[in-house]
Amino acid sequence: MSDAVVHPTAIVGAGARLGKGVRIGPFCIVGDNVVLHENVELVSHVSIDGHTEVGAGSKIFPFASVGHVPQDLKYHGEASRLVIGERCVIRESATINPGTEGGGMLTKIGNDCLIMASAHVAHDAIIGNNVIMANYVGIAGHCHIGDNVIFGGTCVVHQFTRVGAHAFIGAASMVDGDVIPYGMAVGNRASLTGLNLVGLKRRKFDREAIHRLRAAYRLIFASEGTLRERVEDATELFKNDPLVQDVVSFIAAASDRPILMPRNGHDVD
């Protein structure tokens, strides 16, 4: 702790572990079981408690509540954990809860995530890398969010829902079904509205790979046959395409929620 800079108005528990270059601003409260890795900054008025670990280079802004007791009536005080990755930015008044015995005892947020003001990540959620949550996004308990997912403002995601990598969720959406990787979902209740083509292009995915993914999307969400049959057809037809295989594996995996489907047709343009 000798290298950390702690404002005199901050309260840091005797058992807290502070890495090199940590900065703790005015009126922050850091619990006994908290671990802050190198160059973590708590700007001011941050309250962080529980068995919480914050990765190197992350920055937490005023009035964020991190690692406090989950909002789950089944929680009985078990020593569950919250792990936040490196270089994350957690903005004002965001709330992030640790896990519970009923969900694996862990809430985890990957590297390079941006969690904007007043967003919420509930108990036992698993968040990938490079995820962006705009203001007032709510991720319910036990959700699994893949890498590079973007949530527009005021989205809410139902408990136990999965959102695949590189998906985009439009603002003010209520998501109560699993969103395929590379998909785009909008609405209350949300429906699948196509592929996240803008995101794929911005991340410089190969043009031909995007074309194959669009063809597979049209096949999977066509009106003929059952979803299982169409997924089997896409699995075979695009067996050497990793993007399509991401989608079909996601659909085939066991889940507590249904797959989100297109509401009107299957156009991806």
Side-chain angles (χ1 to χ4, degrees), residues 55 59 63 105 118 157 167-168 185 199 208 260 265:
K59 186 172 185 177
F63 304 106
M105 297 284 284
S118 298
V157 182
F168 179 87
E208 291 304 315
L260 214 64

Side-chain angles (χ1 to χ4, degrees), residues 39 55 105 171 194 204 231:
N39 300 314
M105 297 284 284
K204 302 188 185 304
V231 167

Side-chain angles (χ1 to χ4, degrees), residues 18-260:
L18 308 183
K20 182 178 179 180
V22 165
R23 290 176 289 172
I24 299 178
F27 303 105
C28 293
I29 300 176
V30 179
D32 282 329
N33 297 305
V34 172
V35 178
L36 305 179
H37 288 279
E38 292 185 0
N39 300 314
V40 167
E41 181 180 1
L42 310 183
V43 175
S44 75
H45 299 84
V46 173
S47 181
I48 180 168
D49 202 5
H51 295 267
T52 297
E53 181 176 349
V54 182
S58 293
K59 186 172 185 177
I60 306 179
F61 281 77
F63 304 106
S65 175
V66 178
H68 288 271
V69 173
Q71 299 175 107
D72 184 349
L73 295 175
K74 298 184 295 298
Y75 179 73
H76 300 298
E78 56 267 28
S80 56
R81 300 169 59 220
L82 166 62
V83 176
I84 297 172
E86 299 179 352
R87 299 174 302 279
C88 290
V89 175
I90 299 170
R91 295 305 303 253
E92 294 82 357
S93 300
T95 55
I96 307 174
N97 296 151
T100 65
E101 187 176 22
M105 297 284 284
L106 175 67
T107 301
K108 186 175 182 180
I109 296 174
N111 299 327
D112 301 295
C113 293
L114 171 58
I115 300 176
M116 296 189 195
S118 298
H120 175 65
V121 178
H123 58 89
D124 304 295
I126 304 296
I127 311 295
N129 300 317
N130 301 297
V131 172
I132 297 175
M133 300 179 195
N135 302 72
Y136 301 101
V137 166
I139 306 296
H142 309 278
C143 289
H144 282 236
I145 311 299
D147 295 341
N148 300 293
V149 175
I150 296 177
F151 294 91
T154 69
C155 291
V156 289
V157 182
H158 192 285
Q159 61 189 21
F160 293 100
T161 295
R162 298 177 299 150
V163 179
H166 297 278
F168 179 87
I169 312 299
S173 296
M174 196 289 154
V175 181
D176 61 355
D178 292 344
V179 181
I180 61 169
Y182 318 107
M184 183 165 59
V186 179
N188 182 11
R189 305 290 178 142
S191 62
L192 193 64
T193 58
L195 294 172
N196 182 17
L197 297 177
V198 172
L200 290 168
K201 291 172 183 176
R202 285 178 176 172
R203 295 180 188 119
K204 302 188 185 304
F205 278 75
D206 179 76
R207 187 173 183 177
E208 291 304 315
I210 294 175
H211 287 325
R212 291 192 296 272
L213 186 60
R214 294 178 74 184
Y217 179 95
R218 290 191 174 98
L219 172 59
I220 292 168
F221 296 105
S223 57
E224 298 82 10
T226 66
L227 178 61
R228 174 179 291 183
E229 291 170 340
R230 298 191 300 266
V231 167
E232 290 174 351
D233 290 343
T235 301
E236 178 60 27
L237 188 59
F238 299 94
K239 60 185 177 183
N240 296 319
D241 189 289
L243 301 190
V244 176
Q245 293 304 312
D246 285 346
V247 174
V248 296
S249 296
F250 182 92
I251 295 173
S255 176
D256 293 284
R257 305 299 304 163
I259 294 293
L260 214 64

